[in-house]
Amino acid sequence: MRRLRFIGAIIFALSWVCLSGCSRNSTSPEMDEFSRLMNSGKTYYEQGDAIKALGAFQAAATLQPTATDAYLNLANAALLAGQPLEALTAAALVIERDSNAAAAYYVAGCAHLRLNHLLEAVQSFQLSKDLNSDVAATCFQLGLAHFSLKHWEEAAKEFQSAVELEPEHPSAHYNFGQVLIRLGRTAESQKELDTHRDLLAKRAGQPPTVSGLERSIHTAILAPFKLEQPRKNGLPIHFVNTTAQAFGSAATQYKAPIGIMDINQRGANDLFVLEEGQGFRLLLNTNGVFTASGRVSPALTNAQYHKCLVADLQNDRFEDVIVVGAQGSHVFKFATNGLFTEVTAYSRLKNLAATDAALVDLDFSGKLDLLTVTARTNDLRLFRNLGNFLFKDITA
């Protein structure tokens, strides 16, 4: 007989020892230096000091040659510093290691455009756009490349995408207007140029620079990711057996299968158990102490029970119970305050002999059906939940 002693594991109290004084594993000096260089480069880049940013990212890439983030940052710093060849070289290293790096293709496209490699720029921007089509700067730069190649239709398409993604992009509206002039769409062109003028009127300051127009999520500097290390020695814990305090002298009388439920949805785990020589009983949980509640429902003589299933079988917000066994099964309807009634005879499951079972809504009707493994033949059988605790065998 499987006594309830083993469910003491369910309610074991955890005694936490040595919660303080356990230090984290420190990272290696090399990784610390890499993080410092990456963060320093990020600070320099955001301050507009491209040369110092270049130096920091170059040192980081040398320290960690496999770190693609360092090379992508290096490419962006080189672009900001007006060194498109260096940017192109660094971006190519990233692409070689990650063919899905949209940011690297974008930076490469910017570098090609600065070098007047127009066809290569179109190819790079297009690859970046294929990987991430929601970046206005990519569409804008791709439009510029097509514009320089006098691909008016393609340029118009890209500039239109840019203004749709970023309606307040003055340069996109201006260039879209210029392309529309070349396509003979004068009225549309004037509209775009008027929008450009209105946007400029709202913005005081210096005109946009090449670097400023290149800025996007693809040119954002990537900060180093530092994985938090586990505690060196872990957290020593030990378990304390509180079975006696939880169940008292009756603990030896309770046995499996066990159902865990929350009577009245009060946030406490109550237990539905089999009491030896008596029957099925509900144990209410009060601050970790389980006490018998209500009457006992008789069990079959010398029956071997295998599974206790807990679920709301009739969608009334009360958890109900099905217990399956090798000699027969039981169905219990629950109501307020843990009052329960056996409805096995009405459910048509009285003669169900099973070794395993599960409740599942197979037809998405909102009612849980019963799937069982028969005791004698190990066959699967499915019982459709028709509502009001009535089940029908629909296996065939």
Side-chain angles (χ1 to χ4, degrees):
M1 303 290 286
R2 292 176 289 175
R3 305 292 181 186
L4 191 63
R5 286 195 181 105
F6 75 86
I7 67 167
I10 300 174
I11 53 150
F12 276 158
L14 291 176
S15 297
W16 296 88
V17 181
C18 190
L19 289 176
S20 61
C22 297
S23 61
R24 300 279 182 181
N25 282 338
S26 60
T27 56
S28 68
E30 183 179 290
M31 285 304 299
D32 288 340
E33 177 63 7
F34 175 77
S35 297
R36 186 192 69 78
L37 289 167
M38 291 281 277
N39 284 316
S40 295
K42 184 175 186 293
T43 300
Y44 290 135
Y45 182 89
E46 292 172 350
Q47 292 174 347
D49 194 337
I51 300 303
K52 287 185 178 180
L54 263 176
F57 292 137
Q58 183 61 68
T62 302
L63 197 62
Q64 292 285 329
T66 60
T68 55
D69 286 358
Y71 283 101
L72 185 58
N73 289 346
L74 180 61
N76 274 308
L79 204 60
L80 182 63
Q83 301 177 14
L85 284 175
E86 289 75 3
L88 194 57
T89 300
L93 284 171
V94 177
I95 294 169
E96 183 180 338
R97 296 168 185 175
D98 182 4
S99 59
N100 293 317
Y105 287 115
Y106 176 80
V107 174
C110 291
H112 280 305
L113 195 56
R114 289 195 183 201
L115 293 167
N116 205 35
H117 300 163
L118 300 179
L119 292 176
E120 292 85 349
V122 167
Q123 183 181 29
S124 295
F125 286 132
Q126 189 62 59
L127 287 169
S128 180
K129 185 180 177 182
D130 290 343
L131 292 166
N132 186 348
S133 61
D134 297 328
V135 182
T138 306
C139 299
F140 176 72
Q141 296 293 337
L142 180 54
L144 289 180
H146 280 303
F147 188 96
S148 298
L149 287 166
K150 298 183 180 181
H151 298 165
W152 309 129
E153 294 288 352
E154 293 85 350
K157 176 183 175 182
E158 298 305 329
F159 288 135
Q160 183 174 9
S161 296
V163 298
E164 288 174 354
L165 289 168
E166 192 177 332
E168 297 196 357
H169 193 312
S171 297
H173 285 286
Y174 176 79
N175 283 278
F176 190 19
Q178 293 299 317
V179 171
L180 292 174
I181 289 174
R182 287 156 176 78
L183 290 171
R185 294 156 60 179
T186 308
E188 295 173 76
S189 170
Q190 190 58 51
K191 181 181 177 181
E192 295 301 323
L193 294 175
D194 289 343
T195 302
H196 167 253
R197 186 186 62 251
D198 293 341
L199 290 174
L200 285 184
K202 295 178 183 178
R203 300 186 181 189
Q206 298 295 322
T209 63
V210 173
S211 294
L213 293 173
E214 290 170 344
R215 286 292 179 95
S216 71
I217 61 169
H218 293 322
T219 61
I221 296 302
L222 302 175
F225 173 74
K226 191 174 182 180
L227 180 67
E228 185 179 12
Q229 300 299 310
R231 296 181 184 272
K232 185 176 181 180
N233 298 316
L235 289 172
I237 62 172
H238 66 275
F239 293 92
V240 177
N241 190 337
T242 61
T243 305
Q245 295 94 312
F247 299 100
S249 59
T252 58
Q253 300 302 311
Y254 303 138
K255 63 178 184 178
I258 303 162
I260 301 175
M261 54 200 313
D262 181 3
I263 300 300
N264 294 337
Q265 294 82 45
R266 67 194 194 285
N269 289 323
D270 307 302
L271 299 176
F272 190 77
V273 300
L274 182 60
E275 184 174 359
E276 185 175 9
Q278 299 294 319
F280 297 100
R281 179 182 287 284
L282 176 66
L283 302 179
L284 284 179
N285 179 358
T286 305
N287 297 323
V289 176
F290 293 85
T291 54
S293 173
R295 63 179 182 82
V296 175
S297 184
L300 298 174
T301 304
N302 297 323
Q304 184 178 11
Y305 295 102
H306 294 281
K307 202 71 173 280
C308 181
L309 305 173
V310 178
D312 183 356
L313 295 177
Q314 56 177 2
N315 296 323
D316 60 357
R317 299 187 179 181
F318 291 104
E319 293 176 314
D320 306 299
V321 173
I322 295 179
V323 179
V324 297
Q327 288 74 37
S329 300
H330 303 263
V331 181
F332 300 97
K333 173 185 177 181
F334 275 76
T336 307
N337 298 325
L339 298 176
F340 66 92
T341 305
E342 182 166 3
V343 293
T344 308
Y346 176 75
S347 70
R348 299 180 183 174
L349 296 178
K350 181 178 181 180
N351 296 320
L352 171 63
T355 57
D356 203 355
L359 289 166
V360 57
D361 184 5
L362 290 176
D363 59 349
F364 302 102
S365 64
K367 300 185 184 70
L368 293 171
D369 305 311
L370 180 65
L371 187 64
T372 68
V373 178
T374 59
R376 300 177 184 86
T377 60
N378 284 332
D379 293 335
L380 281 177
R381 301 199 72 80
L382 177 62
F383 296 85
R384 175 73 75 219
N385 182 351
L386 302 178
N388 296 317
F389 295 98
L390 181 62
F391 289 82
K392 180 182 179 181
D393 189 345
I394 61 166
T395 306

